[in-house]
Amino acid sequence: MAEAASHTTSYVRDKMLPQAEPPTLQKGAIKWMRDNLFSGWLNSILTIVSIYVIWAVVSDLFPWFANSIWRADSLTQCREIRNATVGADAPAACFAVIVDRWQQLLFGFYPREFYWRPILSLVVMLTALMPVLFPRLPRAALLWSVSAPFVIFFLLWGGSVWFPLAAALGFVIGAVAWRLVSAASGALLGVLAAIILPIIYWLYFAAPLADGLAGSVPLGLEAVPSKQFGGFMLSVVIGISGIVLSLPLGILLALGRQSPLFIINKLSVGFIEIIRGVPLIVWLFTASLLLNYFLPPGTNFDLMLRVIIMVTLFASAYIAEVVRGGLAALPKGQYEAADALGLDYWKSMRLIILPQALKIAIPGIVNTFIGLFKDTTLVVFIGLLDPIGLTNAIRASTDWNGIYWELFLFIALMFFVFCFSMGRYSLYLEKKLRREHR
Amino acid sequence: MSDTATDRAVNRSQMMVSDEVAIQITNMNKWYGTFHVLRDINLTVYRGERIVICGPSGSGKSTLIRCINRLEEHQAGQIIVDGTELSSDLKNIDKIRSEVGMCFQHFNLFPHLTILENCTLAPIWVRKTPKKEAEETAMHFLEKVKIPEQANKYPGQLSGGQQQRVAIARSLCMKPRIMLFDEPTSALDPEMIKEVLDTMIELAEEGMTMLCVTHEMGFAQAVANRVIFMDQGQIVEQNEPREFFNNPQSDRTKLFLSQILGH
């Protein structure tokens, strides 16, 4: 006290104080627990109740996992093993069904001798995604990303190698047309040419070209029809196609909805509202049943392709709204500054507006993607064998009749891995782009 | 204002103004919906002129200079910039915009690009300048506004005054023939106003044609060769700065000047 009092008047410290430890109750684990678990009587009660709930759940589930049986040929055998080892009353998971049927859950009824094809496709897909996801990789690698869809299509469905090549040529025609026409007579005509010329090519020239080449140089893999696709592979094919296709479409719709051009604006608004206002399952039924009435008779349009188109359209309406939120969040000054520098509409969108708007929209976009990916399980209702559909198929065999939880747990785990990685990537991207703090 | 400063201002007001017309505005009118924002604007700007536009808020001064690069559309009359008439022709608009630089009150730098990228973007994508050349030009102008060492930072890391100087450099990189300033110092802290004004004065001394909406009357007296006073969407009075400040003619101008110079 004497020292404290001396501060009020002239004072010189003659001895410096050494660094001291904080009191025992104010440091380390004890302090953490006091701050975070027992900071008051209400929080202490909540902590104890929570611990009890966690204990109740874990103690119930743990024996089920701990007693799990991994080797058996049928559910009956599983039960026999359980009765012999841990007793008839004890809970025991029968993961033997996964060991027995995992190929089916992953690949559906895809021919067993061709499993290397979806596996190779997965490798192709992952390597093709890398340059898109991580901008630090060399830009030339994007060429691989662009050609990957055709490679994957060829690997999965097989058939003549000329068919995907002829289809890809359409995109090359579009790109070349855009380059030449937009340089010669403006961006709008360029876009029109880039859309119309490939469509004409696909409608009238692609098939004869592919057939002709296949006739003279028959190269290819054995064809696998869509009917045999199934399991997690089906979810991934539909999900990833939907994701990859719906992002650009959604961005265009968002821009269309902002456009001052009356017809483009109203078409975008109408499309978004109609697609968004109807449940996905209705669109899937439309794809599987109604679409045949609208298509010219005799056209056999692959069901899976129809589903991919519907899922894409559905997701793009959501993406459009998420991106619109990003666009609306940008200050008007950004548009004006881009205009004032003489950038035309597409350049200012591409260089100034979209990079910023998409950054704001990342959480929403990824959220939509995760939703889309999980919604692919709805295709079970139109007769495609997604993982959920396959659980029914597996239960239909006498061996595994009556098994539920183990299968669903496995499916949940597979979906979780995918969705969790998407979520993590979104966090990584947000962190990387956060440098521009305003 | 001291005598020497006045003399300097007069000297400046005579210098480097040519007979060549840079901007010709004839009977221009603009409406926001049914609200008549600009009424019968007639203005001829000669190359090398430094014009300060002032007036109370809502008088249409920002709208006027934003019409010159078509950030706002006019509904009647004619605007000819550098011999090209502004109409709905998009090609003409982009051409004029690439010749006319503009600085905004809130700088409007692109926050996702570095300072250097902000400066090279338009030269590369609009002028098709090779990247290396564009970067050299950018560094030249960043040195001119005295912040070359910030080139690789992002706008968010710079102070307001620095950001506005970058914005000026960004416009200059397009080698514009005319510069528009829309209240360039209104959003700045007092101690940063000077650094931006110094940059603008330097630009004026090099003979840049400038139209500047500002409330900085010291700047007007120092570099402008003409001051325009606007009220209710009309040009009420214009004169060379000394006459304008010492001998205002209209009552509206007198009232405005007494209000902004009174304290």
Side-chain angles (χ1 to χ4, degrees), chain B residues 182-226:
Chain B
D182 188 0
E183 307 206 23
T185 56
S186 305
L188 294 177
D189 291 339
E191 72 264 32
M192 290 170 186
I193 291 178
K194 187 174 177 298
E195 63 188 51
V196 171
L197 289 181
D198 284 347
T199 310
M200 290 168 64
I201 289 171
E202 207 178 300
L203 204 57
E205 283 171 344
E206 286 167 14
M208 175 67 77
T209 310
M210 291 166 64
L211 274 89
C212 185
V213 173
T214 182
H215 297 113
E216 297 296 329
M217 291 304 136
F219 172 78
Q221 284 167 330
V223 300
N225 70 317
R226 206 171 359 149

Side-chain angles (χ1 to χ4, degrees), chain A residues 53-93:
Chain A
V53 171
I54 294 169
W55 168 248
V57 172
V58 170
S59 64
D60 243 24
L61 285 181
F62 181 75
W64 190 69
F65 279 104
N67 301 337
S68 58
I69 293 149
W70 292 82
R71 279 180 202 288
D73 294 330
S74 68
L75 189 58
T76 335
Q77 203 184 348
C78 246
R79 295 213 169 114
E80 281 163 10
I81 295 174
R82 180 194 63 186
N83 295 346
T85 51
V86 290
D89 298 337

Side-chain angles (χ1 to χ4, degrees), chain B residues 63-129:
Chain B
T63 312
L64 171 60
I65 71 164
R66 287 158 60 87
C67 280
I68 293 171
N69 66 353
R70 193 80 171 189
L71 286 184
E72 304 282 355
E73 196 180 332
H74 61 281
Q75 279 85 36
Q78 199 181 36
I79 303 178
I80 298 175
V81 182
D82 245 350
T84 311
E85 187 183 348
L86 273 176
S87 58
S88 50
D89 185 337
L90 288 175
K91 277 222 168 95
N92 279 352
I93 294 173
D94 281 340
K95 180 165 165 260
I96 287 171
R97 281 173 176 170
S98 63
E99 302 296 336
V100 178
M102 181 154 197
C103 287
F104 299 87
Q105 182 177 358
H106 296 288
F107 335 130
N108 297 355
L109 293 178
F110 305 131
H112 63 301
L113 301 175
T114 63
I115 301 305
L116 190 64
E117 287 164 345
N118 263 279
C119 293
T120 56
L121 183 110
I124 290 175
W125 289 93
V126 180
R127 291 245 191 277
K128 315 276 181 219
T129 317

Side-chain angles (χ1 to χ4, degrees), chain A residues 186 332-334 336-345 347 350-353 355-356 435-438, chain B residues 66 69 71 94 97-98 100 102 104 108-113 121-122 125-126 128 154 156-157 170-171 174:
Chain A
K332 205 168 150 240
Q334 292 292 312
E336 288 180 350
D339 284 349
L341 284 170
L343 293 168
D344 62 32
Y345 176 78
K347 279 180 194 152
R350 184 175 133 206
L351 300 167
I352 309 298
I353 305 303
Q356 296 185 62
R435 61 191 179 203
E436 55 250 23
H437 32 86
R438 276 186 277 174
Chain B
R66 287 158 60 87
N69 66 353
L71 286 184
D94 281 340
R97 281 173 176 170
S98 63
V100 178
M102 181 154 197
F104 299 87
N108 297 355
L109 293 178
F110 305 131
H112 63 301
L113 301 175
L121 183 110
W125 289 93
V126 180
K128 315 276 181 219
Y154 286 91
Q157 295 165 288
R170 177 174 74 178
S171 299
M174 287 294 279

Side-chain angles (χ1 to χ4, degrees), chain A residues 256-314:
Chain A
R257 193 166 188 169
Q258 275 216 326
S259 167
L261 303 172
F262 182 79
I263 293 186
I264 290 182
N265 180 300
K266 292 296 171 265
L267 280 179
S268 307
V269 173
F271 179 89
I272 291 171
E273 296 301 347
I274 290 172
I275 292 279
R276 206 168 51 145
V278 176
L280 177 59
I281 190 76
V282 173
W283 290 121
L284 290 177
F285 278 124
T286 312
S288 77
L289 304 171
L290 283 175
L291 224 54
N292 279 347
Y293 292 108
F294 297 116
L295 291 169
T299 29
N300 185 20
F301 212 52
D302 191 90
L303 179 60
M304 206 163 143
L305 189 59
R306 281 184 267 167
V307 167
I308 288 176
I309 290 173
M310 276 307 176
V311 168
T312 302
L313 296 182
F314 192 75

